[in-house]
Amino acid sequence: MSSAAARTTGQDRLWSVDDHLEDILATVRPLEPIELQLLDAQGCVLVEDVTVPVSLPPFDNSSMDGYAVRVADVSGAGEEYPAVLTVVGDVAAGVGELPHVGPGQAARIMTGAPLPPGAEAVVPVEWTDGGLGEGPVSGMRAHSAAPEGASGQVRVHRPAEARAHVRAKGSDVRAGDLALGAGTVLGPPQLGLLAAIGRGTVRVRPRPRVVVLSTGSELVQPGEPLDTGQIYDSNSFALCAAARDAGAIAYRVGAVADDAETLRSTIEDQLIRADLVVTTGGVSVGAYDVVKEALSSVGDEDEEGAGVDFRKLAMQPGKPQGFGSIGPDHTPLLALPGNPVSSYVSFELFVRPAIRTLMGVDDVHRPTARATLETEKALTSPSGRRQFLRGTYEDGRVTPIGGAGSHLVAALAHADALIVVPEDTTSVEPGTEVEVVLLG
Amino acid sequence: MSSAAARTTGQDRLWSVDDHLEDILATVRPLEPIELQLLDAQGCVLVEDVTVPVSLPPFDNSSMDGYAVRVADVSGAGEEYPAVLTVVGDVAAGVGELPHVGPGQAARIMTGAPLPPGAEAVVPVEWTDGGLGEGPVSGMRAHSAAPEGASGQVRVHRPAEARAHVRAKGSDVRAGDLALGAGTVLGPPQLGLLAAIGRGTVRVRPRPRVVVLSTGSELVQPGEPLDTGQIYDSNSFALCAAARDAGAIAYRVGAVADDAETLRSTIEDQLIRADLVVTTGGVSVGAYDVVKEALSSVGDEDEEGAGVDFRKLAMQPGKPQGFGSIGPDHTPLLALPGNPVSSYVSFELFVRPAIRTLMGVDDVHRPTARATLETEKALTSPSGRRQFLRGTYEDGRVTPIGGAGSHLVAALAHADALIVVPEDTTSVEPGTEVEVVLLG
């Protein structure tokens, strides 16, 4: 306890936003890769170069429903004098033996089916009479309804060049080609490619498991009645949702009362399923800031890198912040302030990049833009603090929404950008160009 | 069977992309709303206007850790002549009875705690000696370590105006205000706001359940050995992932062989968990296009609006398409072509908007942009078809990737945009401005 007490009177250093973030990103390491089923790997980062084991397509195949023919047999074919060929069988995709197509012969063939031996080209069914002897048709009759379509004669009304309507083996990718490089984020088309080349599983960094808990004896679960002096817990909901949006699997523990022993044992319990722990509240200079109190003894202080530091940052909102690692696995922990807007802004600035770093993606930051400030009167900002104001961004213009108060959760719900006012700026005139973080 | 056979020779109308899409969007209706827990409602659309039941904050409270005081008692306070006040107790957030602050008195108060009766302002702890009698401090000592901090005397070194560091009741939102309007998509800050005003559940349109199945006797599960004439099933993976990206809960049924009876019973089985069914393959003019064959009898043909239409579209890739509804609930079904690129492009153009319509979002379409075509030689496109080429987009420029072949799944995996070549355009010169669909 004495160390916790000592902490509250020491550490007067004011950390810059950048130094705090740099400290976090230098500590958090990408998760160890695991082999996952394709659909479990959606949104994950590939950690291996994947090469093509078998060329795609793996064999010459038809790009049309039609007839596989020899070029010489149809060379003079026309509407008036069709080539009349003997149908020697059906070639359906994935089914049975391939017939040999000899001179004067044709095989009925389906899209994707292998070009049978002897055949040199495919004529689409629309260039034929479909074996019905009544002029051009628009399609084949279903095999189940008319099995005789695979026999008899077919009239072909147009010639075809060699390889016409044939997709060549390897024309998509060739065996040995690089399909996807390490570092690729696996979205739908990438998963499609992996499946197409036969990969059932893939080696990726898993989605980080993030445990979110809010602290405060005043917090009540939404939906329950509110007593005097109580408010609803909102941080654990907003931050769980934000962690998911960032790519994590989020576990909401809910609100923990301001009791250091309860908090400590709750966090220790959760470590088993946590790649990252996020707390809100209890990090400031009050007498009941139990996150600070509890976490100073969770880490093994004799071990290098263990323990949580509590800091004051040169930012608004979000001045008090904690960061460190806890437990036997040195699980990273970010302790955010308890005000809803402070905690959300802190999440965007520090937790989201930490989650993205755990995932192993290259670009861990939200996109930023320059925007013209649309406002009636100048914005004011405290000297020496980097201020993050909520705003709405559109077409290079940003409009502040709500005030600077860190409790303005209603305004936050209508914002889609953070307006950044640098440390050395105390006033921003309307029409000034400012930096904005796009919350997307 | 005769009706299926008849279909193959009829329906020569060529549908435009826009007419087909319009037909789909006119048929698919937003899902019926349900009441969901907040975190289950993430990404969903609110169907009710939510008003604020209780003002936020619900009571005047402190924005700082400090001391609640009467203004007159600290009006002349300075470093040299601090105001000396008697501490009458602690006000922690969410805990206990509030002390009355009389003349010459102060209550130690924590961030978020209610302003006690009698007090008019809060002085931050950093403006005081923290009750230690040794000049300004940087924070309080933890209550558990030093309970005496809530008694004795405190020296205040700076005056405070009335209401200083007090967040007024209702300063965030007032009871009766509109918190969020119907139609709002619930992201992290919106869920935070709903929690903050005490909503434990919320009425939204649920995420659509989309059943994806691919058809083709040639299809093999990735990871299994490939036999002659076989290829891997990739569509069911790519489209499941794409359905999730669009906001759906996706179920991958996998590949079904080209047998109409099996396909029909598989789809009927799946209807219980489907808000939308998506199939790939079997929709063209071949003799084994069993999706066409099977689905013509799944719907009750006597009932208005039931049944699936198979169409030819004026587009490339993706000419053959099926759309309709099946089963007792008239579940919408989109039957896409089987080529991987055709099916993916079809998904983007038709299935994604259908999913977004089921969700009830306003804007169901991908964003589009104008871009300058970066290419060495002119692109060619068939007359009368709207062509969708894969490309990479950056800063107003788009570069085609891969060719026009609908099997070029490797190129698709490296694309982030579709280049749209209109029906009446057969050649696009380098440097031309084109429309692109941003795949995001």
Side-chain angles (χ1 to χ4, degrees):
Chain A
M1 292 304 146
S2 59
S3 70
R7 279 166 192 270
T8 60
T9 51
Q11 298 180 325
D12 280 320
R13 170 180 174 187
L14 209 56
W15 286 65
S16 74
V17 172
D18 296 334
D19 284 350
H20 185 61
L21 179 61
E22 193 180 306
D23 195 21
I24 293 168
L25 297 185
T27 306
V28 174
R29 299 260 66 88
L31 295 177
E32 285 301 307
I34 56 172
E35 193 85 11
L36 289 181
Q37 295 285 322
L38 290 188
L39 287 177
D40 292 337
Q42 186 168 0
C44 294
V45 174
L46 192 64
V47 295
E48 56 181 352
D49 285 343
V50 174
T51 52
V52 178
V54 181
S55 295
L56 283 186
F59 43 83
D60 289 352
N61 71 94
S62 178
S63 68
M64 302 292 278
D65 297 308
Y67 290 85
V69 298
R70 298 167 80 97
V71 170
D73 286 341
V74 296
S75 65
E79 280 291 330
E80 208 166 340
Y81 298 104
V84 183
L85 304 175
T86 302
V87 181
V88 295
D90 250 8
V91 190
V95 180
E97 292 287 297
L98 299 181
H100 183 271
V101 177
Q105 296 180 332
R108 197 166 69 161
I109 191 167
M110 310 305 147
T111 306
L115 191 70
E120 298 158 331
V122 170
V123 288
V125 64
E126 293 91 340
W127 296 5
T128 77
D129 70 348
L132 302 177
E134 295 165 3
V137 295
S138 63
M140 297 176 188
R141 298 177 65 193
H143 175 78
S144 60
E148 69 278 10
S151 58
Q153 288 186 323
V154 64
R155 280 169 183 74
V156 178
H157 299 281
R158 284 174 60 176
E161 291 174 8
R163 312 293 293 172
H165 308 112
V166 174
R167 295 188 291 219
K169 173 179 178 173
S171 59
D172 195 340
V173 285
R174 291 180 180 282
D177 283 357
L178 179 69
L180 295 173
T184 303
V185 178
L186 300 179
Q190 292 77 34
L191 293 172
L193 173 58
L194 290 170
I197 64 171
R199 290 292 296 252
T201 62
V202 69
R203 197 154 187 83
V204 296
R205 297 194 194 282
R207 296 166 64 201
R209 298 161 304 157
V210 176
V211 166
V212 178
L213 58 87
S214 44
T215 68
S217 297
E218 76 278 24
L219 300 180
V220 174
Q221 171 92 359
E224 299 296 316
L226 210 57
D227 216 335
T228 312
Q230 294 183 323
I231 59 169
Y232 289 109
D233 171 27
S234 63
N235 288 340
S236 67
F237 292 93
L239 300 195
C240 255
R244 286 182 188 165
D245 261 7
I249 296 165
Y251 299 114
R252 175 181 167 269
V253 176
V256 180
D258 288 327
D259 173 71
E261 192 46 53
T262 306
L263 180 65
R264 190 180 297 126
S265 71
T266 303
I267 291 178
E268 282 172 355
D269 271 2
Q270 293 291 332
L271 287 178
I272 188 103
R273 63 168 178 174
D275 296 313
L276 176 69
V277 177
V278 179
T279 67
T280 65
V283 293
S284 192
V285 296
Y288 298 86
D289 281 330
V290 297
V291 172
K292 226 169 172 174
E293 193 180 337
L295 295 187
S296 59
S297 51
V298 167
D300 181 346
E301 293 193 347
D302 296 333
E303 233 181 306
E304 182 88 36
V308 177
D309 276 339
F310 291 90
R311 300 167 178 176
K312 289 180 185 169
L313 263 62
M315 68 180 278
Q316 183 188 64
K319 185 181 175 188
Q321 300 277 345
F323 168 65
S325 65
I326 53 169
D329 296 330
H330 294 218
T331 305
L333 179 143
L334 280 95
L336 311 184
N339 283 317
V341 175
S342 305
S343 76
Y344 184 76
V345 169
S346 303
F347 184 97
E348 285 292 340
L349 296 181
F350 305 121
V351 184
R352 195 171 204 281
I355 290 173
R356 311 276 303 158
T357 300
L358 288 167
M359 294 173 70
V361 296
D362 280 338
D363 190 2
V364 302
H365 296 294
R366 290 277 199 192
T368 59
R370 305 294 299 178
T372 305
L373 182 67
E374 297 259 293
T375 177
E376 295 199 355
K377 55 177 188 173
L379 299 179
T380 58
S381 180
S383 171
R385 302 277 198 93
R386 192 180 300 181
Q387 196 181 37
F388 295 90
L389 291 163
R390 279 66 62 198
T392 55
Y393 173 85
E394 194 172 4
D395 294 335
R397 315 186 82 79
V398 68
T399 309
I401 183 167
S406 53
H407 59 309
L408 297 169
V409 68
L412 178 63
H414 295 94
D416 59 12
L418 297 176
I419 304 168
V420 185
V421 184
E423 289 81 346
D424 55 4
T425 303
T426 54
S427 175
V428 188
E429 295 298 318
T432 307
E433 194 183 86
V434 293
E435 185 188 356
V436 294
V437 178
L438 304 175
L439 299 178
Chain B
M1 293 302 147
S2 59
S3 71
R7 280 166 190 271
T8 61
T9 51
Q11 297 180 323
D12 280 321
R13 171 180 173 187
L14 208 56
W15 286 66
S16 74
V17 172
D18 296 334
D19 284 350
H20 184 62
L21 179 62
E22 193 180 305
D23 196 20
I24 293 167
L25 296 186
T27 306
V28 174
R29 299 261 65 88
L31 295 177
E32 285 301 307
I34 56 172
E35 193 85 11
L36 289 181
Q37 295 286 321
L38 290 188
L39 287 177
D40 292 337
Q42 185 168 0
C44 294
V45 174
L46 192 64
V47 296
E48 56 181 352
D49 285 344
V50 174
T51 52
V52 178
V54 180
S55 295
L56 283 186
F59 43 83
D60 290 351
N61 69 95
S62 178
S63 68
M64 302 291 280
D65 297 308
Y67 290 85
V69 297
R70 297 167 80 96
V71 169
D73 285 341
V74 296
S75 64
E79 280 290 331
E80 208 166 339
Y81 299 103
V84 183
L85 304 174
T86 302
V87 181
V88 295
D90 250 11
V91 190
V95 180
E97 293 286 298
L98 299 181
H100 182 273
V101 176
Q105 296 180 335
R108 198 167 69 162
I109 191 167
M110 310 304 147
T111 305
L115 190 70
E120 298 159 333
V122 170
V123 288
V125 64
E126 294 91 340
W127 297 4
T128 77
D129 70 348
L132 301 177
E134 296 166 0
V137 295
S138 63
M140 296 176 188
R141 299 178 63 193
H143 175 78
S144 60
E148 70 277 10
S151 60
Q153 288 188 322
V154 64
R155 280 169 183 73
V156 178
H157 300 280
R158 287 174 59 176
E161 291 175 9
R163 311 293 292 172
H165 308 112
V166 174
R167 295 188 290 219
K169 173 179 178 174
S171 60
D172 194 341
V173 285
R174 290 181 181 282
D177 282 357
L178 179 69
L180 295 173
T184 302
V185 177
L186 300 179
Q190 291 77 33
L191 293 171
L193 173 58
L194 290 170
I197 65 171
R199 290 292 297 254
T201 62
V202 69
R203 197 156 186 83
V204 296
R205 299 194 192 282
R207 296 166 65 200
R209 299 161 303 157
V210 176
V211 166
V212 178
L213 57 87
S214 44
T215 69
S217 298
E218 75 278 24
L219 299 180
V220 174
Q221 170 91 359
E224 300 296 316
L226 211 56
D227 216 335
T228 313
Q230 295 183 323
I231 58 170
Y232 288 109
D233 172 27
S234 64
N235 288 340
S236 67
F237 292 93
L239 299 196
C240 255
R244 285 182 188 167
D245 260 8
I249 296 165
Y251 299 115
R252 175 181 167 269
V253 177
V256 180
D258 288 328
D259 173 72
E261 193 46 53
T262 307
L263 180 65
R264 190 181 297 125
S265 71
T266 303
I267 291 178
E268 282 172 354
D269 271 1
Q270 293 290 331
L271 286 179
I272 188 97
R273 64 168 177 173
D275 296 314
L276 176 69
V277 177
V278 179
T279 67
T280 66
V283 293
S284 192
V285 296
Y288 298 85
D289 281 330
V290 297
V291 172
K292 226 168 170 174
E293 194 180 338
L295 295 186
S296 57
S297 51
V298 166
D300 180 346
E301 294 193 348
D302 296 333
E303 233 180 307
E304 182 88 38
V308 177
D309 276 341
F310 290 90
R311 300 167 178 174
K312 288 179 185 170
L313 262 64
M315 68 181 277
Q316 185 189 60
K319 185 179 176 188
Q321 300 276 345
F323 168 64
S325 65
I326 53 169
D329 296 330
H330 294 216
T331 306
L333 179 142
L334 281 94
L336 311 184
N339 283 317
V341 176
S342 304
S343 76
Y344 185 77
V345 169
S346 303
F347 184 97
E348 285 291 339
L349 295 181
F350 305 121
V351 183
R352 195 172 204 279
I355 290 172
R356 311 276 303 161
T357 299
L358 288 166
M359 294 173 71
V361 296
D362 281 338
D363 189 3
V364 301
H365 296 293
R366 290 277 198 192
T368 58
R370 306 293 300 177
T372 305
L373 182 67
E374 297 260 293
T375 177
E376 294 200 355
K377 54 178 189 173
L379 299 179
T380 58
S381 179
S383 172
R385 303 278 198 92
R386 191 181 300 180
Q387 197 182 37
F388 295 90
L389 291 162
R390 279 65 63 199
T392 54
Y393 172 84
E394 195 172 5
D395 294 335
R397 315 186 81 80
V398 68
T399 309
I401 183 168
S406 53
H407 58 309
L408 297 169
V409 67
L412 178 63
H414 295 95
D416 59 12
L418 296 175
I419 303 167
V420 184
V421 184
E423 289 81 346
D424 55 5
T425 303
T426 54
S427 176
V428 187
E429 295 297 319
T432 307
E433 194 184 85
V434 291
E435 186 189 356
V436 293
V437 178
L438 303 176
L439 300 177

